[in-house]
């Protein structure tokens, strides 16, 4: 495993494989003792992972028909292996197992992202695993190669995204937005078939569907996890509504009623990001008056001659300032840090752990700007987590849950404060308290704007996996959820063949998305706890734990636990609480929320 992709993904699935076509599964006669079974499963998975990770790495770094073929084959082998092991756990149902053994069995059973069915003859099993793997590989490659031509020029995602964040011409924005969505049209039929196969696989493993299976990875029954998500959303939704209301008024003032009406949803292409998931691209439009931080990190990085390598070195230096060991030399030799000019690559940023030990790498098409400076910390968070838990047993080499994996680097990036930038020599003076609203607004555009999007992606998939939304309703359901949660609508009528969800990496990439919603909650809990440990008494958004070895040591304790204990224990180890909770996030933004409420007075908020 190591669906290392995107860092420490839980999936024992897809990437693993075992080739020694073991007999199936539930034969009681063949029942081995649990300790022996788990040891052999971990050995097999670990060996397979060493191979599959390299195949996937090469495919993502050189997308060709041949590497697609290799990746599909490895993925099929991985699916067969992980499904075989998942089925084999059925022998131990009701057996008396230690908590660790139970945990490993559950990881084997539920940790497959897209399971293939295991009924039928070995030939039939292989045929359907091959079909599934070809679909998942093709979807991912189609996304990686996505382009759209404007004025005779073929544009990739970075170029189209640049238009979305910098243009203020509604026609150009609409053209770039609609253009990017076209890359997903050919994916729809494959996606529907994949859902069919995956659901059959999930049912055979005892789940009602893939949604049930994904939600079973949080140390509680799926239903309880879903309820937890609802509780978290109800805690943070009022904050999002205030930001939405304030932003809509600013967009209305900028573009006029014909483009952005005063009431109702916001036009999705006006928010500075292709998916309206983070709105920092329109900071200039929503900036609170008289609270200019006095610097623009985008410009500062360029002026100070930062290049992609220097950005990554700076990120690494933050982690080592906490007392963590530097990255190995191979990280620098083997990572892909800028987009190569001569070949197709999967540019969506990811962190990898090729040998489940210390062959760590990132792969990202880094640009010198504030967003990618943050993303560098995000990716390195995955790598430092991976190395911290490398002494755990194979099945525990993972995040406490997938939200933790996503939150580590983001938590560290919350320490990129003006004071920290000053320590780096990037700015010469730290802005006064009067700039706080500006600093908080910039963070809100990154963190608060994201919350409903973070929810939308898997709300859509849950509906699809549960059969509540059929292929002919795929697009409408996506648009409806965007309206319901984000309060956004597409810039124009959507074509009948549209498949807009496919234009977001994690849908063709089959990366579960709830993790990011959880991460955006957790990272503020980490921040609050860390700053308390550091004795910080100022506003939370000014707190940086740079160089703090004591906080670092406690942080490392949580990281080293990996997935060996239920996640509330890991949370407790660092923060002292076992509950995931949105109040730290709400407290962080309290001054901004109070100010936005004043600005919104007299308006009809909501949509
Ligand atoms: O996919 C990512 C990371 C890799 S795990 C770059 N993120 C989500 C996204 O881009 O949609 C980080 C924030 C949300
Ligand atoms: Zn990530």
């Amino acid at each position: 495993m190591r669906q290392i992709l995107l860092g420490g993904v839980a999936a024992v699935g897809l990437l693993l494989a075992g080739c020694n076509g073991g007999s199936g599964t539930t034969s009681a006669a063949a029942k081995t003792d649990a300790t022996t079974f788990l040891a052999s499963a971990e050995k097999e998975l670990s060996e397979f992972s060493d191979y599959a990770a390299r195949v996937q790495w090469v495919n993502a770094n050189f997308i060709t028909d041949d590497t697609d073929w290799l990746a599909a084959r490895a993925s099929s082998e991985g699916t067969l292996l992980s499904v075989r092991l998942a089925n084999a756990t059925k022998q131990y149902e009701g057996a008396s197992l230690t908590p660790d053994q139970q945990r490993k069995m559950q990881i084997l059973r539920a940790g497959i992202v897209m399971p293939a069915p295991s009924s039928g003859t070995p030939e039939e099993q292989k045929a359907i695993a091959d079909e599934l793997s070809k679909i998942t590989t093709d979807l991912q490659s189609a996304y990686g190669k996505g382009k759209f031509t404007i004025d005779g020029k073929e544009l990739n995602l970075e170029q189209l995204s640049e238009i979305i964040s910098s243009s203020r011409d509604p026609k150009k924005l609409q053209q770039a937005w609609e253009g990017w969505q076209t890359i997903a049209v050919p994916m729809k039929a494959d996606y529907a078939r994949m859902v069919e196969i995956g659901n059959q696989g999930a049912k055979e493993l005892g789940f009602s569907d893939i949604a049930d299976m994904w939600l079973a990875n949080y140390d509680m029954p799926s239903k309880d996890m879903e309820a937890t998500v609802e509780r978290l959303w109800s805690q943070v939704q009022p904050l999002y509504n205030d930001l939405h209301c304030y932003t809509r008024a600013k967009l209305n003032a900028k573009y006029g009623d014909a483009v952005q009406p005063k009431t109702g949803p916001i036009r999705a292409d006006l928010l500075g990001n292709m998916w309206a998931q983070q709105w920092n691209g329109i900071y200039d439009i929503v900036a609170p008056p008289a609270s200019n931080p006095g610097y623009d990190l985008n410009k500062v990085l360029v002026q100070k001659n930062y290049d992609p390598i220097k950005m990554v070195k700076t990120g690494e230096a933050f982690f080592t300032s906490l007392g963590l060991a530097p990255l190995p030399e191979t990280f620098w030799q083997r990572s892909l840090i800028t987009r190569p000019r001569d070949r197709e690559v999967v540019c969506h940023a990811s962190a990898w752990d090729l040998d489940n030990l210390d062959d760590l790498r990132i792969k990202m098409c880094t640009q010198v700007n504030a967003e990618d400076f943050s993303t560098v910390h995000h990716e390195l968070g995955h790598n430092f987590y991976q190395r911290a838990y490398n002494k755990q047993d194979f099945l525990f080499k993972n995040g406490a849950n997938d939200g933790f994996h996503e939150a580590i680097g983001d938590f560290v990036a919350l320490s990129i404060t003006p004071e920290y930038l000053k320590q780096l020599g990037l700015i010469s003076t730290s802005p006064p308290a009067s700039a706080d609203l500006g600093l908080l607004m910039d963070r809100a555009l990154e963190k608060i704007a994201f919350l409903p999007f973070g929810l939308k992606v898997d709300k859509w998939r849950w509906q699809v996996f549960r059969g509540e939304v059929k292929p002919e309703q795929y697009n409408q359901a996506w648009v409806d959820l965007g309206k319901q949660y984000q309060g956004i609508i597409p810039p124009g009528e959507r074509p009948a063949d549209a498949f807009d969800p496919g234009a977001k990496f994690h849908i063709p990439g089959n990366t579960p998305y709830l993790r990011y919603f959880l991460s955006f909650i957790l990272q503020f809990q980490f921040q609050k706890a860390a700053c308390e440990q550091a004795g910080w008494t100022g506003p939370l958004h000014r707190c940086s734990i740079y160089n703090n070895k004591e906080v670092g040591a406690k942080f490392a304790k949580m990281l080293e636990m990996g997935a060996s204990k239920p996640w509330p224990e890991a949370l407790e180890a660092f923060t002292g609480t076992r509950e995931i909770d949105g109040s730290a996030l709400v407290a962080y933004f309290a001054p901004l929320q109070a100010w936005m409420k004043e600005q919104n007075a007299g308006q009809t908020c909501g949509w």
Side-chain angles (χ1 to χ4, degrees):
M1 106 177 226
R2 276 338 54 140
Q3 237 233 46
I4 3 151
L5 300 186
L6 309 177
V9 170
V12 174
L14 290 183
L15 294 194
L16 334 167
C19 330
N20 48 353
S23 69
T25 52
T26 50
S27 143
K31 178 166 168 177
T32 352
D33 127 88
T35 310
T36 313
F37 165 72
L38 287 170
S40 125
E42 291 190 290
K43 181 162 181 291
E44 219 177 335
L45 288 170
S46 165
E47 283 172 10
F48 176 72
S49 165
D50 284 346
Y51 151 73
R54 285 166 178 88
V55 175
Q56 301 294 347
W57 173 264
V58 172
N59 179 226
N61 280 270
F62 306 82
I63 310 177
T64 67
D65 292 338
D66 297 324
T67 63
D68 279 353
W69 186 93
L70 288 165
R73 179 165 177 161
S75 155
S76 172
E77 290 167 7
T79 301
L80 287 168
L81 168 64
S82 52
V83 169
R84 170 164 59 80
L85 294 172
N87 272 306
T89 64
K90 290 176 185 166
Q91 302 172 87
Y92 303 94
E93 270 163 25
S96 91
L97 302 174
T98 67
D100 275 8
Q101 288 175 331
Q102 268 170 20
R103 214 171 151 66
K104 287 182 179 180
M105 295 287 182
Q106 173 66 6
I107 292 169
L108 284 175
R109 197 174 83 89
I112 308 176
V113 173
M114 202 47 70
S118 47
S119 48
T121 64
E123 291 73 29
E124 284 164 345
Q125 287 177 33
K126 180 172 180 312
I128 200 149
D130 284 351
E131 184 188 358
L132 177 64
S133 301
K134 177 155 173 34
I135 292 175
T136 54
T137 306
D138 286 353
L139 286 171
Q140 156 126 323
S141 289
Y143 185 93
K145 291 190 270 199
K147 292 191 188 55
F148 182 71
T149 302
I150 297 183
D151 299 334
K153 223 183 140 210
E154 224 182 33
L155 303 179
N156 62 30
L157 176 58
E158 279 113 273
Q159 294 162 319
L160 292 165
S161 291
E162 175 58 29
I163 298 176
I164 296 284
S165 66
S166 63
S167 171
R168 300 294 179 249
D169 172 351
K171 286 213 176 61
K172 269 187 96 171
L173 289 168
Q174 179 166 2
Q175 186 183 36
W177 189 94
E178 289 176 344
W180 178 249
Q181 316 298 314
T182 63
I183 68 127
V185 172
M187 298 176 186
K188 188 172 144 182
D190 270 354
Y191 196 86
R193 175 66 184 143
M194 181 192 78
V195 171
E196 218 171 71
I197 299 174
N199 266 337
Q200 201 189 327
K203 284 199 178 81
E204 288 179 9
L205 290 172
F207 298 95
S208 40
D209 48 51
I210 313 166
D212 182 29
M213 191 161 168
W214 286 11
L215 281 161
N217 284 287
Y218 296 96
D219 299 303
M220 63 178 88
S222 301
K223 275 274 152 267
D224 295 358
M225 187 57 196
E226 218 179 333
T228 299
V229 172
E230 288 308 316
R231 169 175 63 82
L232 295 172
W233 174 234
S234 67
Q235 283 185 293
V236 298
Q237 187 182 20
L239 190 48
Y240 179 74
N241 287 356
D242 291 333
L243 179 66
H244 181 280
C245 191
Y246 172 77
T247 304
R248 184 178 60 193
K250 289 286 177 188
L251 289 171
N252 171 261
K254 165 96 187 156
Y255 289 108
D257 292 345
V259 173
Q260 179 55 61
K262 283 194 182 66
T263 57
I266 298 177
R267 223 180 95 161
D269 56 333
L270 304 182
L271 287 163
N273 173 280
M274 191 60 84
W275 308 277
Q277 67 179 67
Q278 281 155 322
W279 303 348
N280 305 76
I282 57 159
Y283 179 78
D284 57 322
I285 298 178
V286 300
S291 54
N292 184 349
Y295 67 91
D296 173 352
L297 188 54
N298 292 297
K299 299 206 174 101
V300 171
L301 289 166
V302 175
Q303 278 157 7
K304 296 282 177 181
N305 286 321
Y306 269 56
D307 58 23
I309 302 278
K310 180 140 191 215
M311 291 182 24
V312 183
K313 290 265 180 205
T314 308
E316 181 198 28
F318 197 111
F319 286 87
T320 55
S321 87
L322 299 176
L324 299 168
L327 293 164
E329 198 45 38
T330 49
F331 172 91
W332 302 102
Q333 292 157 350
R334 298 172 188 175
S335 288
L336 179 128
I337 295 179
T338 49
R339 186 193 266 271
R341 268 175 294 187
D342 57 347
R343 59 181 202 261
E344 301 282 4
V345 302
V346 177
C347 259
H348 189 90
S350 54
W352 299 60
D353 179 1
L354 281 277
D355 62 353
N356 301 298
L357 207 57
D358 53 13
D359 189 347
L360 308 165
R361 310 177 194 176
I362 60 169
K363 186 174 62 54
M364 67 181 277
C365 302
T366 318
Q367 294 173 306
V368 180
N369 60 36
E371 182 184 343
D372 276 4
F373 192 52
S374 248
T375 303
V376 159
H377 291 77
H378 175 96
E379 297 309 334
L380 292 181
H382 288 307
N383 282 155
F384 278 96
Y385 203 177
Q386 286 158 340
R387 202 195 29 207
Y389 57 58
N390 72 2
K391 293 190 181 57
Q392 293 289 345
D393 289 353
F394 182 82
L395 287 168
F396 293 156
K397 289 187 190 194
N398 212 335
N401 68 38
D402 54 6
F404 279 65
H405 228 302
E406 298 304 333
I408 300 307
D410 279 19
F411 151 61
V412 164
L414 288 176
S415 278
I416 306 177
T417 57
E419 207 46 52
Y420 170 64
L421 295 176
K422 200 175 137 196
Q423 280 174 276
L424 289 185
L426 278 168
I427 56 174
S428 48
T429 48
S430 186
S434 60
D436 279 358
L437 281 178
L439 294 166
L440 274 173
M441 177 59 81
D442 196 41
R443 278 262 198 269
L445 296 174
E446 183 187 354
K447 305 295 183 185
I448 308 300
F450 181 81
L451 295 164
F453 179 79
L455 213 51
K456 171 175 89 167
V457 178
D458 277 1
K459 287 262 179 190
W460 180 83
R461 276 192 289 217
W462 295 343
Q463 291 181 352
V464 165
F465 295 158
R466 288 170 180 158
E468 294 159 7
V469 163
K470 307 268 182 275
E472 55 283 8
Q473 302 160 322
Y474 278 176
N475 210 62
Q476 193 54 49
W478 179 260
V479 172
D480 290 349
L481 286 167
K483 186 164 171 204
Q484 182 185 346
Y485 286 98
Q486 293 177 279
I488 61 166
I489 46 166
E493 186 86 7
R494 301 301 298 133
D497 63 356
F499 181 51
D500 299 346
K504 174 65 197 168
F505 173 80
H506 303 70
I507 298 291
N510 276 312
T511 306
Y513 212 82
L514 179 61
R515 63 188 59 186
Y516 302 107
F517 177 76
L518 300 175
S519 152
F520 277 54
I521 303 280
L522 284 168
Q523 58 192 259
F524 287 94
Q525 288 189 261
F526 294 163
Q527 177 72 352
K528 185 163 174 283
C531 295
E532 277 166 15
Q533 288 163 30
W536 178 259
T537 51
L540 218 43
H541 71 279
R542 292 273 190 167
C543 164
S544 177
I545 57 154
Y546 182 58
N547 255 331
N548 192 320
K549 305 274 184 301
E550 267 172 50
V551 173
K554 204 157 175 190
F555 185 47
K557 286 260 174 298
M558 173 174 79
L559 300 183
E560 285 159 16
M561 289 168 75
S564 64
K565 295 279 179 286
W567 63 260
E569 276 184 49
L571 186 60
E572 192 173 25
F574 187 49
T575 68
T577 167
R578 300 173 64 87
E579 278 268 304
I580 181 166
D581 188 83
S583 56
L585 179 148
V586 174
Y588 186 101
F589 289 103
L592 179 72
Q593 188 174 20
W595 181 80
M596 287 193 301
K597 279 196 188 300
E598 284 168 24
Q599 307 305 304
N600 293 340
Q603 293 219 44
T604 319
C605 290
W607 52 88

